[in-house]
Short mmCIF file of all heavy atoms in Angstrom, two decimals:
data_model
loop_
_atom_site.label_atom_id
_atom_site.label_comp_id
_atom_site.label_asym_id
_atom_site.label_seq_id
_atom_site.Cartn_x
_atom_site.Cartn_y
_atom_site.Cartn_z
N MET I 12 0.78 -1.21 0.02
CA MET I 12 -0.02 -0.03 0.02
C MET I 12 0.86 1.25 -0.01
O MET I 12 0.35 2.37 -0.02
CB MET I 12 -0.92 -0.02 1.19
CG MET I 12 -2.06 -1.04 1.03
SD MET I 12 -3.30 -1.10 2.37
CE MET I 12 -3.81 0.56 2.46
N ARG I 13 2.15 1.09 0.03
CA ARG I 13 3.08 2.26 0.07
C ARG I 13 2.69 3.33 1.10
O ARG I 13 2.63 4.50 0.75
CB ARG I 13 3.14 2.81 -1.39
CG ARG I 13 3.77 1.81 -2.40
CD ARG I 13 3.97 2.39 -3.72
NE ARG I 13 2.75 2.91 -4.36
CZ ARG I 13 1.86 2.18 -5.04
NH1 ARG I 13 2.13 0.85 -5.19
NH2 ARG I 13 0.82 2.66 -5.56
N THR I 14 2.43 2.82 2.30
CA THR I 14 2.15 3.75 3.45
C THR I 14 2.67 3.15 4.66
O THR I 14 2.84 1.92 4.80
CB THR I 14 0.60 4.00 3.59
OG1 THR I 14 0.36 4.92 4.61
CG2 THR I 14 -0.14 2.71 3.94
N TYR I 15 3.00 3.98 5.58
CA TYR I 15 3.31 3.54 6.93
C TYR I 15 2.01 3.24 7.63
O TYR I 15 0.98 3.94 7.30
CB TYR I 15 4.13 4.56 7.76
CG TYR I 15 5.52 4.72 7.33
CD1 TYR I 15 5.92 5.62 6.40
CD2 TYR I 15 6.46 3.84 7.89
CE1 TYR I 15 7.26 5.72 6.04
CE2 TYR I 15 7.79 3.96 7.50
CZ TYR I 15 8.18 4.92 6.58
OH TYR I 15 9.49 5.02 6.22
N PHE I 16 1.95 2.33 8.51
CA PHE I 16 0.72 2.09 9.24
C PHE I 16 1.01 1.87 10.72
O PHE I 16 2.18 1.52 11.11
CB PHE I 16 0.02 0.81 8.72
CG PHE I 16 0.74 -0.47 8.76
CD1 PHE I 16 0.58 -1.29 9.85
CD2 PHE I 16 1.55 -0.85 7.73
CE1 PHE I 16 1.31 -2.46 9.95
CE2 PHE I 16 2.29 -2.07 7.81
CZ PHE I 16 2.17 -2.88 8.90
N LEU I 17 0.04 2.17 11.57
CA LEU I 17 0.19 2.10 12.98
C LEU I 17 -1.11 1.58 13.58
O LEU I 17 -2.16 2.14 13.33
CB LEU I 17 0.52 3.51 13.52
CG LEU I 17 0.68 3.73 15.03
CD1 LEU I 17 1.91 2.88 15.55
CD2 LEU I 17 0.85 5.14 15.35
N GLN I 18 -0.94 0.63 14.43
CA GLN I 18 -2.12 0.06 15.15
C GLN I 18 -1.90 0.17 16.62
O GLN I 18 -0.84 -0.32 17.07
CB GLN I 18 -2.37 -1.37 14.73
CG GLN I 18 -3.62 -1.96 15.27
CD GLN I 18 -3.94 -3.37 14.80
OE1 GLN I 18 -3.14 -3.88 13.99
NE2 GLN I 18 -4.92 -4.01 15.29
N GLY I 19 -2.80 0.77 17.34
CA GLY I 19 -2.58 0.94 18.75
C GLY I 19 -3.09 -0.16 19.57
O GLY I 19 -3.71 -1.12 19.03
N ILE I 20 -2.84 -0.17 20.83
CA ILE I 20 -3.22 -1.14 21.79
C ILE I 20 -4.72 -1.31 21.79
O ILE I 20 -5.45 -0.26 21.83
CB ILE I 20 -2.71 -0.86 23.22
CG1 ILE I 20 -1.16 -0.82 23.12
CG2 ILE I 20 -3.17 -1.84 24.24
CD1 ILE I 20 -0.50 -0.24 24.38
N PRO I 21 -5.26 -2.52 21.83
CA PRO I 21 -6.76 -2.68 21.86
C PRO I 21 -7.41 -1.98 23.04
O PRO I 21 -6.85 -1.90 24.13
CB PRO I 21 -6.90 -4.21 22.00
CG PRO I 21 -5.72 -4.76 21.47
CD PRO I 21 -4.53 -3.75 21.81
N HIS I 22 -8.56 -1.53 22.83
CA HIS I 22 -9.39 -0.84 23.86
C HIS I 22 -9.70 -1.88 24.95
O HIS I 22 -10.07 -3.06 24.66
CB HIS I 22 -10.66 -0.37 23.25
CG HIS I 22 -11.52 0.49 24.24
ND1 HIS I 22 -12.32 -0.01 25.15
CD2 HIS I 22 -11.59 1.83 24.34
CE1 HIS I 22 -12.89 0.85 25.84
NE2 HIS I 22 -12.47 2.06 25.35
N PRO I 23 -9.56 -1.61 26.20
CA PRO I 23 -9.65 -2.62 27.28
C PRO I 23 -11.06 -3.20 27.46
O PRO I 23 -11.19 -4.35 27.90
CB PRO I 23 -9.23 -1.88 28.55
CG PRO I 23 -9.37 -0.41 28.23
CD PRO I 23 -9.17 -0.33 26.75
N VAL I 24 -12.10 -2.57 26.98
CA VAL I 24 -13.44 -3.03 27.18
C VAL I 24 -13.93 -3.71 25.91
O VAL I 24 -14.44 -4.81 25.91
CB VAL I 24 -14.38 -1.86 27.63
CG1 VAL I 24 -15.79 -2.38 27.68
CG2 VAL I 24 -13.96 -1.31 28.94
N THR I 25 -13.87 -3.00 24.77
CA THR I 25 -14.39 -3.50 23.52
C THR I 25 -13.46 -4.35 22.69
O THR I 25 -13.89 -4.96 21.73
CB THR I 25 -14.90 -2.35 22.68
OG1 THR I 25 -13.74 -1.52 22.22
CG2 THR I 25 -15.90 -1.48 23.40
N ASP I 26 -12.18 -4.29 22.95
CA ASP I 26 -11.11 -4.96 22.18
C ASP I 26 -10.91 -4.39 20.81
O ASP I 26 -10.28 -4.88 20.00
CB ASP I 26 -11.36 -6.50 22.10
CG ASP I 26 -10.07 -7.23 21.89
OD1 ASP I 26 -8.99 -6.77 22.38
OD2 ASP I 26 -10.13 -8.28 21.16
N ASP I 27 -11.52 -3.17 20.56
CA ASP I 27 -11.34 -2.53 19.30
C ASP I 27 -9.97 -1.79 19.38
O ASP I 27 -9.48 -1.53 20.46
CB ASP I 27 -12.41 -1.37 19.10
CG ASP I 27 -13.80 -1.99 18.77
OD1 ASP I 27 -13.84 -3.17 18.28
OD2 ASP I 27 -14.76 -1.30 19.04
N CYS I 28 -9.43 -1.56 18.21
CA CYS I 28 -8.12 -0.82 18.15
C CYS I 28 -8.38 0.63 18.68
O CYS I 28 -9.28 1.27 18.27
CB CYS I 28 -7.58 -0.80 16.78
SG CYS I 28 -7.03 -2.37 16.23
N ALA I 29 -7.56 1.02 19.56
CA ALA I 29 -7.59 2.37 20.05
C ALA I 29 -7.11 3.37 19.07
O ALA I 29 -7.50 4.58 18.99
CB ALA I 29 -6.77 2.56 21.38
N LEU I 30 -6.22 2.94 18.14
CA LEU I 30 -5.65 3.78 17.06
C LEU I 30 -5.32 2.94 15.91
O LEU I 30 -4.74 1.83 16.05
CB LEU I 30 -4.36 4.46 17.59
CG LEU I 30 -3.57 5.43 16.64
CD1 LEU I 30 -4.48 6.66 16.43
CD2 LEU I 30 -2.25 5.76 17.21
N TRP I 31 -5.76 3.32 14.75
CA TRP I 31 -5.42 2.53 13.53
C TRP I 31 -5.27 3.54 12.38
O TRP I 31 -6.18 4.10 11.80
CB TRP I 31 -6.59 1.61 13.18
CG TRP I 31 -6.28 0.50 12.18
CD1 TRP I 31 -5.26 0.51 11.35
CD2 TRP I 31 -7.03 -0.71 12.07
NE1 TRP I 31 -5.28 -0.67 10.57
CE2 TRP I 31 -6.40 -1.39 11.01
CE3 TRP I 31 -8.18 -1.24 12.62
CZ2 TRP I 31 -6.86 -2.65 10.57
CZ3 TRP I 31 -8.52 -2.47 12.19
CH2 TRP I 31 -7.92 -3.20 11.15
N LEU I 32 -4.00 3.70 11.94
CA LEU I 32 -3.67 4.69 10.95
C LEU I 32 -2.90 4.02 9.79
O LEU I 32 -2.27 2.97 10.02
CB LEU I 32 -2.71 5.76 11.54
CG LEU I 32 -3.18 6.59 12.69
CD1 LEU I 32 -2.07 7.45 13.27
CD2 LEU I 32 -4.39 7.40 12.38
N GLY I 33 -3.15 4.51 8.62
CA GLY I 33 -2.40 4.06 7.47
C GLY I 33 -3.17 2.97 6.73
O GLY I 33 -2.53 1.96 6.35
N VAL I 34 -4.47 3.10 6.57
CA VAL I 34 -5.23 2.02 5.91
C VAL I 34 -5.56 2.35 4.48
O VAL I 34 -6.12 1.54 3.81
CB VAL I 34 -6.53 1.83 6.68
CG1 VAL I 34 -6.25 1.26 8.06
CG2 VAL I 34 -7.42 3.03 6.73
N PHE I 35 -5.09 3.55 3.95
CA PHE I 35 -5.34 3.85 2.57
C PHE I 35 -4.07 3.93 1.79
O PHE I 35 -2.96 4.24 2.42
CB PHE I 35 -6.05 5.18 2.51
CG PHE I 35 -7.49 5.09 3.14
CD1 PHE I 35 -7.68 5.77 4.38
CD2 PHE I 35 -8.49 4.45 2.61
CE1 PHE I 35 -8.91 5.70 4.98
CE2 PHE I 35 -9.72 4.34 3.23
CZ PHE I 35 -9.91 4.98 4.43
N LEU I 36 -4.12 3.73 0.49
CA LEU I 36 -2.95 3.77 -0.36
C LEU I 36 -2.24 5.11 -0.28
O LEU I 36 -2.83 6.18 -0.32
CB LEU I 36 -3.46 3.62 -1.79
CG LEU I 36 -2.37 3.59 -2.88
CD1 LEU I 36 -1.50 2.33 -2.69
CD2 LEU I 36 -3.00 3.56 -4.28
N GLU I 37 -0.97 5.04 0.10
CA GLU I 37 -0.05 6.23 0.17
C GLU I 37 -0.60 7.30 1.12
O GLU I 37 -0.37 8.48 0.94
CB GLU I 37 0.15 6.83 -1.19
CG GLU I 37 0.85 5.81 -2.17
CD GLU I 37 1.13 6.36 -3.53
OE1 GLU I 37 0.59 7.42 -3.89
OE2 GLU I 37 1.86 5.68 -4.24
N GLU I 38 -1.24 6.84 2.19
CA GLU I 38 -1.81 7.77 3.20
C GLU I 38 -0.73 8.48 4.03
O GLU I 38 -0.84 9.69 4.18
CB GLU I 38 -2.74 7.03 4.15
CG GLU I 38 -3.53 7.90 5.03
CD GLU I 38 -4.54 7.12 5.91
OE1 GLU I 38 -4.58 5.91 5.81
OE2 GLU I 38 -5.25 7.84 6.64
N TYR I 39 0.23 7.72 4.49
CA TYR I 39 1.34 8.33 5.21
C TYR I 39 2.63 7.85 4.56
O TYR I 39 3.14 6.73 4.78
CB TYR I 39 1.35 7.84 6.67
CG TYR I 39 0.12 8.33 7.43
CD1 TYR I 39 -0.98 7.46 7.62
CD2 TYR I 39 0.01 9.60 7.88
CE1 TYR I 39 -2.13 7.84 8.20
CE2 TYR I 39 -1.16 10.04 8.53
CZ TYR I 39 -2.22 9.14 8.62
OH TYR I 39 -3.39 9.61 9.31
N THR I 40 3.21 8.67 3.74
CA THR I 40 4.37 8.32 2.97
C THR I 40 5.69 8.56 3.68
O THR I 40 6.75 8.08 3.20
CB THR I 40 4.35 9.10 1.67
OG1 THR I 40 4.44 10.51 1.94
CG2 THR I 40 3.16 8.79 0.75
N THR I 41 5.67 9.20 4.85
CA THR I 41 6.86 9.32 5.66
C THR I 41 6.60 8.81 7.04
O THR I 41 5.52 8.92 7.58
CB THR I 41 7.40 10.79 5.71
OG1 THR I 41 6.39 11.58 6.38
CG2 THR I 41 7.58 11.34 4.28
N LEU I 42 7.65 8.37 7.69
CA LEU I 42 7.57 7.92 9.13
C LEU I 42 7.19 9.14 9.96
O LEU I 42 6.33 9.02 10.84
CB LEU I 42 8.93 7.36 9.55
CG LEU I 42 8.93 6.78 10.91
CD1 LEU I 42 7.92 5.69 11.10
CD2 LEU I 42 10.34 6.15 11.16
N GLU I 43 7.78 10.31 9.66
CA GLU I 43 7.42 11.48 10.43
C GLU I 43 5.94 11.83 10.37
O GLU I 43 5.31 12.25 11.45
CB GLU I 43 8.24 12.71 9.95
CG GLU I 43 9.75 12.56 10.20
CD GLU I 43 10.45 11.78 9.09
OE1 GLU I 43 9.79 11.33 8.05
OE2 GLU I 43 11.60 11.46 9.21
N SER I 44 5.34 11.68 9.21
CA SER I 44 3.95 12.02 9.04
C SER I 44 2.98 11.22 9.91
O SER I 44 2.03 11.70 10.46
CB SER I 44 3.51 12.05 7.58
OG SER I 44 3.52 10.73 7.07
N ILE I 45 3.26 9.92 10.02
CA ILE I 45 2.39 9.06 10.76
C ILE I 45 2.62 9.27 12.30
O ILE I 45 1.73 9.24 13.07
CB ILE I 45 2.49 7.60 10.39
CG1 ILE I 45 1.23 6.88 10.88
CG2 ILE I 45 3.73 6.98 10.82
CD1 ILE I 45 0.94 5.53 10.27
N ILE I 46 3.85 9.57 12.71
CA ILE I 46 4.13 9.87 14.11
C ILE I 46 3.48 11.21 14.52
O ILE I 46 2.91 11.21 15.59
CB ILE I 46 5.66 9.91 14.37
CG1 ILE I 46 6.21 8.43 14.23
CG2 ILE I 46 5.94 10.40 15.67
CD1 ILE I 46 7.73 8.32 14.33
N GLU I 47 3.54 12.17 13.63
CA GLU I 47 2.84 13.44 13.93
C GLU I 47 1.35 13.21 13.98
O GLU I 47 0.64 13.78 14.91
CB GLU I 47 3.18 14.43 12.93
CG GLU I 47 2.56 15.77 13.13
CD GLU I 47 2.87 16.45 14.42
OE1 GLU I 47 3.98 16.20 14.94
OE2 GLU I 47 2.10 17.18 14.99
N LYS I 48 0.74 12.43 13.12
CA LYS I 48 -0.73 12.20 13.23
C LYS I 48 -1.08 11.46 14.54
O LYS I 48 -2.07 11.84 15.08
CB LYS I 48 -1.16 11.36 11.99
CG LYS I 48 -2.61 11.04 12.04
CD LYS I 48 -3.51 12.27 11.94
CE LYS I 48 -4.95 11.80 11.85
NZ LYS I 48 -5.85 12.90 11.93
N ALA I 49 -0.32 10.56 14.95
CA ALA I 49 -0.57 9.91 16.24
C ALA I 49 -0.47 10.96 17.32
O ALA I 49 -1.38 10.87 18.26
CB ALA I 49 0.54 8.80 16.41
N ARG I 50 0.46 11.78 17.29
CA ARG I 50 0.55 12.88 18.37
C ARG I 50 -0.69 13.74 18.35
O ARG I 50 -1.24 14.09 19.42
CB ARG I 50 1.77 13.78 18.18
CG ARG I 50 3.07 13.03 18.55
CD ARG I 50 4.24 13.88 18.41
NE ARG I 50 5.38 13.15 18.88
CZ ARG I 50 6.60 13.27 18.22
NH1 ARG I 50 6.73 14.01 17.13
NH2 ARG I 50 7.63 12.52 18.68
N VAL I 51 -1.20 14.14 17.23
CA VAL I 51 -2.41 14.96 17.05
C VAL I 51 -3.59 14.17 17.65
O VAL I 51 -4.40 14.80 18.23
CB VAL I 51 -2.68 15.27 15.51
CG1 VAL I 51 -4.03 15.85 15.35
CG2 VAL I 51 -1.61 16.25 15.04
N GLU I 52 -3.56 12.93 17.53
CA GLU I 52 -4.68 12.15 18.03
C GLU I 52 -4.49 11.80 19.60
O GLU I 52 -5.27 11.18 20.21
CB GLU I 52 -4.79 10.74 17.38
CG GLU I 52 -5.06 10.87 15.84
CD GLU I 52 -6.53 11.31 15.62
OE1 GLU I 52 -7.47 10.95 16.43
OE2 GLU I 52 -6.78 12.10 14.67
N GLY I 53 -3.37 12.29 20.10
CA GLY I 53 -3.10 12.14 21.60
C GLY I 53 -2.28 10.91 21.98
O GLY I 53 -2.34 10.59 23.13
N TYR I 54 -1.60 10.37 21.07
CA TYR I 54 -0.72 9.19 21.31
C TYR I 54 0.70 9.51 21.07
O TYR I 54 1.03 10.36 20.20
CB TYR I 54 -1.18 8.01 20.36
CG TYR I 54 -2.57 7.48 20.65
CD1 TYR I 54 -3.62 8.03 19.92
CD2 TYR I 54 -2.82 6.54 21.56
CE1 TYR I 54 -4.91 7.59 20.21
CE2 TYR I 54 -4.03 6.13 21.89
CZ TYR I 54 -5.16 6.68 21.11
OH TYR I 54 -6.47 6.21 21.44
N GLU I 55 1.56 8.84 21.76
CA GLU I 55 3.02 9.06 21.56
C GLU I 55 3.55 7.68 21.20
O GLU I 55 3.42 6.67 21.84
CB GLU I 55 3.70 9.55 22.86
CG GLU I 55 5.13 9.98 22.71
CD GLU I 55 5.32 11.10 21.75
OE1 GLU I 55 4.52 12.05 21.73
OE2 GLU I 55 6.33 11.03 20.96
N VAL I 56 4.33 7.65 20.08
CA VAL I 56 4.97 6.45 19.61
C VAL I 56 6.29 6.32 20.37
O VAL I 56 7.08 7.30 20.52
CB VAL I 56 5.31 6.57 18.06
CG1 VAL I 56 6.07 5.30 17.65
CG2 VAL I 56 4.01 6.69 17.34
N SER I 57 6.50 5.18 21.01
CA SER I 57 7.73 4.97 21.83
C SER I 57 8.29 3.61 21.49
O SER I 57 7.70 2.78 20.93
CB SER I 57 7.41 5.07 23.31
OG SER I 57 6.46 4.09 23.67
N GLY I 58 9.52 3.45 21.88
CA GLY I 58 10.28 2.18 21.72
C GLY I 58 10.86 1.94 20.41
O GLY I 58 11.49 0.83 20.19
N LEU I 59 10.95 2.94 19.48
CA LEU I 59 11.56 2.79 18.27
C LEU I 59 13.04 3.17 18.44
O LEU I 59 13.34 4.31 18.86
CB LEU I 59 10.92 3.72 17.23
CG LEU I 59 9.55 3.32 16.71
CD1 LEU I 59 9.06 4.41 15.67
CD2 LEU I 59 9.53 1.98 16.03
N THR I 60 13.94 2.26 18.08
CA THR I 60 15.37 2.64 18.12
C THR I 60 15.74 3.29 16.80
O THR I 60 14.94 3.22 15.80
CB THR I 60 16.18 1.35 18.32
OG1 THR I 60 16.01 0.51 17.17
CG2 THR I 60 15.76 0.62 19.65
N GLN I 61 16.88 3.90 16.81
CA GLN I 61 17.32 4.50 15.62
C GLN I 61 17.51 3.45 14.58
O GLN I 61 17.13 3.68 13.34
CB GLN I 61 18.67 5.26 15.86
CG GLN I 61 19.18 5.91 14.61
CD GLN I 61 20.46 6.72 14.83
OE1 GLN I 61 20.97 6.73 15.92
NE2 GLN I 61 20.91 7.41 13.80
N GLU I 62 17.98 2.25 14.90
CA GLU I 62 18.14 1.17 13.90
C GLU I 62 16.77 0.73 13.28
O GLU I 62 16.72 0.52 12.11
CB GLU I 62 18.83 -0.03 14.57
CG GLU I 62 20.28 0.17 14.88
CD GLU I 62 20.47 0.92 16.25
OE1 GLU I 62 19.56 0.99 17.14
OE2 GLU I 62 21.57 1.52 16.41
N MET I 63 15.72 0.70 14.10
CA MET I 63 14.40 0.41 13.65
C MET I 63 13.89 1.42 12.65
O MET I 63 13.36 1.09 11.59
CB MET I 63 13.46 0.23 14.76
CG MET I 63 13.73 -0.89 15.73
SD MET I 63 12.77 -0.72 17.25
CE MET I 63 11.60 -2.03 17.06
N MET I 64 14.11 2.69 12.95
CA MET I 64 13.62 3.77 12.16
C MET I 64 14.37 3.70 10.79
O MET I 64 13.74 3.88 9.73
CB MET I 64 13.75 5.08 12.81
CG MET I 64 12.77 5.21 13.94
SD MET I 64 12.78 6.87 14.68
CE MET I 64 14.26 6.86 15.69
N VAL I 65 15.70 3.51 10.81
CA VAL I 65 16.47 3.52 9.58
C VAL I 65 15.99 2.30 8.71
O VAL I 65 15.88 2.49 7.54
CB VAL I 65 17.98 3.45 9.97
CG1 VAL I 65 18.78 3.04 8.70
CG2 VAL I 65 18.47 4.69 10.56
N ALA I 66 15.76 1.21 9.34
CA ALA I 66 15.32 0.01 8.61
C ALA I 66 13.99 0.24 7.91
O ALA I 66 13.72 -0.16 6.75
CB ALA I 66 15.22 -1.25 9.55
N MET I 67 13.09 0.88 8.66
CA MET I 67 11.74 1.18 8.07
C MET I 67 11.78 2.18 6.95
O MET I 67 11.23 2.02 5.86
CB MET I 67 10.79 1.76 9.13
CG MET I 67 10.23 0.72 10.10
SD MET I 67 9.00 1.35 11.22
CE MET I 67 9.93 2.05 12.44
N ILE I 68 12.61 3.23 7.13
CA ILE I 68 12.79 4.19 6.06
C ILE I 68 13.52 3.61 4.86
O ILE I 68 13.08 3.80 3.67
CB ILE I 68 13.66 5.43 6.59
CG1 ILE I 68 12.80 6.16 7.58
CG2 ILE I 68 14.07 6.32 5.44
CD1 ILE I 68 13.52 7.19 8.44
N LYS I 69 14.46 2.71 5.03
CA LYS I 69 15.14 1.99 3.96
C LYS I 69 14.17 1.14 3.25
O LYS I 69 14.11 1.10 2.00
CB LYS I 69 16.34 1.25 4.47
CG LYS I 69 17.15 0.55 3.48
CD LYS I 69 18.35 -0.15 4.09
CE LYS I 69 19.15 -0.83 3.02
NZ LYS I 69 20.30 -1.57 3.61
N GLU I 70 13.29 0.36 3.94
CA GLU I 70 12.34 -0.47 3.28
C GLU I 70 11.38 0.29 2.49
O GLU I 70 10.88 -0.11 1.46
CB GLU I 70 11.65 -1.34 4.36
CG GLU I 70 10.62 -2.28 3.83
CD GLU I 70 11.18 -3.45 3.07
OE1 GLU I 70 12.33 -3.80 3.27
OE2 GLU I 70 10.42 -3.98 2.22
N SER I 71 10.97 1.45 3.00
CA SER I 71 9.90 2.25 2.34
C SER I 71 10.47 2.86 1.08
O SER I 71 9.72 3.29 0.10
CB SER I 71 9.43 3.38 3.23
OG SER I 71 10.37 4.34 3.36
N GLY I 72 11.77 2.91 0.87
CA GLY I 72 12.41 3.48 -0.30
C GLY I 72 12.49 2.53 -1.47
O GLY I 72 12.80 2.93 -2.62
N LYS I 73 12.12 1.31 -1.30
CA LYS I 73 12.09 0.28 -2.34
C LYS I 73 10.98 0.52 -3.33
O LYS I 73 9.85 0.68 -2.86
CB LYS I 73 12.05 -1.10 -1.78
CG LYS I 73 13.27 -1.59 -1.03
CD LYS I 73 13.12 -3.03 -0.46
CE LYS I 73 14.36 -3.40 0.28
NZ LYS I 73 14.14 -4.76 0.83
N SER I 74 11.25 0.47 -4.53
CA SER I 74 10.20 0.70 -5.54
C SER I 74 9.36 -0.55 -5.73
O SER I 74 9.88 -1.66 -5.78
CB SER I 74 10.81 1.14 -6.89
OG SER I 74 9.87 1.28 -7.91
N THR I 75 8.08 -0.38 -5.76
CA THR I 75 7.18 -1.55 -5.99
C THR I 75 6.21 -1.27 -7.10
O THR I 75 5.78 -0.14 -7.36
CB THR I 75 6.29 -1.84 -4.74
OG1 THR I 75 5.61 -0.65 -4.45
CG2 THR I 75 7.19 -2.19 -3.54
N PRO I 76 5.99 -2.31 -7.97
CA PRO I 76 5.08 -2.09 -9.07
C PRO I 76 3.64 -1.98 -8.60
O PRO I 76 3.34 -2.34 -7.42
CB PRO I 76 5.24 -3.45 -9.84
CG PRO I 76 5.73 -4.44 -8.86
CD PRO I 76 6.53 -3.71 -7.85
N PRO I 77 2.75 -1.39 -9.44
CA PRO I 77 1.38 -1.28 -9.02
C PRO I 77 0.73 -2.67 -8.73
O PRO I 77 1.04 -3.55 -9.39
CB PRO I 77 0.71 -0.58 -10.27
CG PRO I 77 1.80 -0.04 -11.06
CD PRO I 77 3.06 -0.85 -10.76
N SER I 78 -0.19 -2.69 -7.80
CA SER I 78 -0.94 -3.87 -7.56
C SER I 78 -1.90 -4.15 -8.60
O SER I 78 -2.27 -3.23 -9.44
CB SER I 78 -1.62 -3.81 -6.13
OG SER I 78 -2.64 -2.85 -6.19
N LEU I 79 -2.51 -5.32 -8.66
CA LEU I 79 -3.56 -5.61 -9.62
C LEU I 79 -4.77 -4.70 -9.49
O LEU I 79 -5.31 -4.28 -10.50
CB LEU I 79 -4.07 -7.09 -9.41
CG LEU I 79 -3.08 -8.17 -9.80
CD1 LEU I 79 -3.66 -9.55 -9.47
CD2 LEU I 79 -2.76 -8.08 -11.31
N GLY I 80 -5.09 -4.31 -8.25
CA GLY I 80 -6.25 -3.38 -8.07
C GLY I 80 -5.90 -1.98 -8.60
O GLY I 80 -6.82 -1.33 -9.16
N GLU I 81 -4.68 -1.58 -8.54
CA GLU I 81 -4.36 -0.28 -9.12
C GLU I 81 -4.27 -0.32 -10.59
O GLU I 81 -4.48 0.72 -11.26
CB GLU I 81 -2.92 0.14 -8.59
CG GLU I 81 -2.95 0.42 -7.09
CD GLU I 81 -1.54 0.71 -6.68
OE1 GLU I 81 -0.80 -0.22 -6.37
OE2 GLU I 81 -1.18 1.89 -6.61
N LEU I 82 -3.99 -1.45 -11.22
CA LEU I 82 -3.95 -1.52 -12.66
C LEU I 82 -5.27 -1.42 -13.35
O LEU I 82 -5.42 -1.16 -14.57
CB LEU I 82 -3.21 -2.82 -13.11
CG LEU I 82 -1.77 -2.95 -12.69
CD1 LEU I 82 -1.18 -4.28 -12.97
CD2 LEU I 82 -0.93 -1.78 -13.38
N ARG I 83 -6.36 -1.69 -12.64
CA ARG I 83 -7.69 -1.64 -13.19
C ARG I 83 -8.27 -0.25 -13.32
O ARG I 83 -8.08 0.58 -12.83
CB ARG I 83 -8.63 -2.53 -12.38
CG ARG I 83 -8.20 -3.97 -12.49
CD ARG I 83 -9.09 -4.80 -11.71
NE ARG I 83 -8.66 -6.19 -11.97
CZ ARG I 83 -9.50 -7.15 -12.31
NH1 ARG I 83 -10.75 -6.98 -12.28
NH2 ARG I 83 -8.99 -8.37 -12.55
#
């Protein structure tokens, strides 16, 4: 989907996701943009090491061909 995605901890009562971002094609194209959106929603992303962030950014830079759905 060429987007970063973030799923938050399930809601303690309903078991629904408390936060679910990045479900649309190219919705968050940078790591910074999704972290900022989480902050706007009142959440803080924690536990990411520099190595993890570099690996995610490196992976997102790989070119991918359009999916079958995009070709239609």
Side-chain angles (χ1 to χ4, degrees):
M12 290 183 53
R13 295 184 302 274
T14 186
Y15 285 94
F16 61 92
L17 177 64
Q18 186 175 0
I20 298 171
H22 188 279
V24 175
T25 65
D26 204 32
D27 290 335
C28 292
L30 181 68
W31 195 341
L32 302 173
V34 296
F35 299 107
L36 183 66
E37 298 178 351
E38 186 175 6
Y39 298 99
T40 57
T41 66
L42 185 56
E43 294 85 3
S44 66
I45 198 164
I46 289 173
E47 181 58 32
K48 177 62 175 175
R50 285 184 180 139
V51 167
E52 296 290 326
Y54 296 90
E55 188 64 38
V56 176
S57 62
L59 290 177
T60 64
Q61 183 175 1
E62 291 81 18
M63 294 165 109
M64 290 186 284
V65 168
M67 284 189 275
I68 292 168
K69 185 177 179 181
E70 181 68 23
S71 73
K73 293 181 181 178
S74 180
T75 57
S78 68
L79 290 176
E81 292 176 275
L82 294 174
R83 294 183 174 225

